[in-house]
Amino acid sequence: MTRMSSSPIGRLAVGLVPTLALTLGAALGAVVVSGGPAVAQTQVQPPPIAWDERRLERLDRNVRRLERALTQRNAAGDPVIIEADPEVVALMGRVDLMDQRLSDLEATLVRMNSETERLTVELEAAERANRDLIGRLDALTRQVAELESARAEAEAAAVADTSLQPRSPSGSDTGDFDAAMRLVRDGDTAAATDAFELFIVTWPESPRLGEAHYRLADLLAGADDADGAVQEYARALRGWPATNWGAEATLRLAALLMGTNRNEQACQALGEFDRRYAERASANGRARAGQLRTQARCG
């Protein structure tokens, strides 16, 4: 039975048989007998073979010649068994291992390329988002600058237009207050309301500012503006002034609060009345406070 390798490495191993036989014969011929025991002379290491094209062609011819001879012997019934060279087998194993490592490296490279592509896409998306944010920030910056410019222009226009500034009809806070009170006595409530509003704007430091709020609150209450009247009564009573109109303003404030379903705040106002104005208030005022306290169900 003949076993023969059909691979190129097997063919190369078969082609090397004549060469190995010649080398073995030369080694055996180096043993000489000189009247005594055989002395093996040191074999000189041949120089390395330069495998040029001509030598490779010769090797290929020898391999083919050997294959034909083996085929003829097999056909004649004299099989030849050719064992694979262990070194060649080991070499083939190393080649397979290198192929596996190369495949692993290629798979790793594919994964790295895929990850690089993904990171590139994400980076491009981040850059686009960054450009969008920069654009929006620039737009907001321009809007803020425009708003600041418009505000500065409006302030400059307000300062330049002195006609918009409130003017005192009489030139003094006392004269303006008295003029507003004359309008109240004359029954011109609309003009009186305007007069007290102008007084409050024109004379914010006047000692009669609180009373002006009180009188304006009365006018607003008479015009059925309950919310406006509550605000003006509260401004008039800021700091709970010890004046002759303080008690009346507190009772009117409590009544308006109760009339707008704010009983808790009305009770608080009545409590301030008891603490600050009850002693100096008239009997009629104290009686009204009791009635309001009952109606508001104060504790």
Side-chain angles (χ1 to χ4, degrees):
M1 181 178 181
T2 303
R3 287 187 296 178
M4 178 178 177
S5 175
S6 60
S7 65
I9 297 178
R11 292 172 57 186
L12 179 60
V14 172
L16 291 176
V17 173
T19 304
L20 294 174
L22 294 175
T23 303
L24 182 59
L28 294 175
V31 181
V32 296
V33 181
S34 57
V39 179
Q41 296 184 357
T42 304
Q43 181 182 356
V44 179
Q45 186 71 22
I49 300 175
W51 293 100
D52 53 11
E53 185 177 356
R54 189 183 63 178
R55 288 181 178 273
L56 290 174
E57 290 179 354
R58 186 193 309 165
L59 180 60
D60 185 66
R61 287 195 300 270
N62 292 335
V63 171
R64 293 180 185 276
R65 189 179 303 115
L66 183 56
E67 286 180 346
R68 288 194 296 271
L70 293 175
T71 302
Q72 293 173 0
R73 293 190 61 178
N74 288 334
D78 187 9
V80 178
I81 299 176
I82 301 176
E83 297 289 344
D85 191 346
E87 295 182 358
V88 174
V89 174
L91 180 60
M92 292 177 64
R94 294 183 60 185
V95 170
D96 292 338
L97 181 60
M98 292 178 66
D99 287 341
Q100 182 61 38
R101 291 182 178 178
L102 181 59
S103 299
D104 294 340
L105 289 175
E106 289 177 350
T108 302
L109 182 60
V110 170
R111 289 195 300 271
M112 291 178 64
N113 289 337
S114 177
E115 184 69 14
T116 301
E117 291 177 358
R118 185 184 64 81
L119 292 176
T120 301
V121 172
E122 292 180 357
L123 178 60
E124 292 176 352
E127 290 177 350
R128 288 194 299 270
N130 189 32
R131 287 194 296 268
D132 293 340
L133 290 175
I134 291 174
R136 293 175 60 185
L137 180 61
D138 292 340
L140 290 175
T141 302
R142 288 193 298 270
Q143 291 179 3
V144 171
E146 292 174 357
L147 290 175
E148 290 180 350
S149 177
R151 185 183 65 179
E153 293 176 357
E155 291 177 353
V159 172
D161 189 3
T162 57
S163 63
L164 298 178
Q165 301 295 329
R167 294 183 178 180
S168 170
S170 65
S172 67
D173 59 334
T174 302
D176 290 349
F177 188 89
D178 292 341
M181 289 299 297
R182 281 194 298 271
L183 293 173
V184 173
R185 287 191 295 270
D186 293 342
D188 192 353
T189 56
T193 300
D194 293 339
F196 278 117
E197 288 177 348
L198 180 61
F199 179 89
I200 292 170
V201 175
T202 306
W203 306 105
E205 302 297 332
S206 173
R208 307 192 72 175
L209 180 65
E211 186 178 358
H213 282 294
Y214 166 60
R215 301 300 178 183
L216 179 59
D218 287 345
L219 293 169
L220 294 175
D224 294 330
D225 185 1
D227 291 335
V230 167
Q231 293 179 3
E232 293 301 325
Y233 280 131
R235 293 188 181 105
L237 293 170
R238 187 175 299 157
W240 303 104
T243 60
N244 56 355
W245 50 264
E248 184 63 24
T250 304
L251 292 175
R252 293 181 182 181
L253 173 61
L256 282 175
L257 290 171
M258 189 181 64
T260 54
N261 297 321
R262 288 178 278 186
N263 291 352
E264 183 178 355
Q265 296 180 13
C267 292
Q268 292 176 359
L270 292 172
E272 295 295 334
F273 174 85
D274 293 339
R275 284 191 294 272
R276 300 176 187 276
Y277 302 114
E279 292 182 1
R280 297 190 303 272
S282 63
N284 187 24
R286 289 193 292 271
R288 284 174 56 200
Q291 293 175 357
L292 291 173
R293 190 177 295 107
T294 302
Q295 294 174 2
R297 297 180 181 179
C298 300

